[in-house]
């Protein structure tokens, strides 16, 4: 027979209390569910973080190509 625990500490009860409850056991799960669905998904929240970044990147790339092709002035004997 196992010895009785004089402290009253039960490690199995501690492990059971420390685990994350399942969705069926969590009373707040349904109330918090809306925060991560529809327009509040992680992708939808991130998508609007940098408005205009794509357009600005393309415009900057076009300017770099324009500068390299049309504004490239030759340096004649400047002694650099």
């Amino acid at each position: 027979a196992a010895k009785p625990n004089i402290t009253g500490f039960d490690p199995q009860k501690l492990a059971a209390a420390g685990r994350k409850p399942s969705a069926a056991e969590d009373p707040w799960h349904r109330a918090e569910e809306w925060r991560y669905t529809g327009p509040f998904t992680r992708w939808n929240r991130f998508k609007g973080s940098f408005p205009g970044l794509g357009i600005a990147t393309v415009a900057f790339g076009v300017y770099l190509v324009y500068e390299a092709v049309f504004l490239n002035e030759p340096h004649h004997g400047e002694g650099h």
Side-chain angles (χ1 to χ4, degrees):
K3 291 183 180 181
N5 188 344
I6 59 172
T7 64
F9 176 74
D10 187 5
Q12 288 150 349
K13 283 185 182 178
L14 177 68
R19 70 174 174 78
K20 185 176 179 183
S22 69
E25 296 171 343
D26 188 4
W28 292 99
H29 179 73
R30 234 184 66 220
E32 296 293 318
E33 195 170 56
W34 67 271
R35 294 178 185 264
Y36 308 105
T37 58
F40 304 108
T41 60
R42 181 174 288 159
W43 171 248
N44 284 339
R45 285 182 285 154
F46 175 74
K47 191 167 54 172
S49 297
F50 303 104
L53 179 65
I55 293 171
T57 304
V58 170
F60 184 66
V62 169
Y63 171 74
L64 289 178
V65 169
Y66 171 77
E67 183 180 4
V69 174
F70 295 108
L71 300 180
N72 192 5
E73 298 177 6
H75 301 286
H76 297 291
E78 293 183 4
H80 286 267

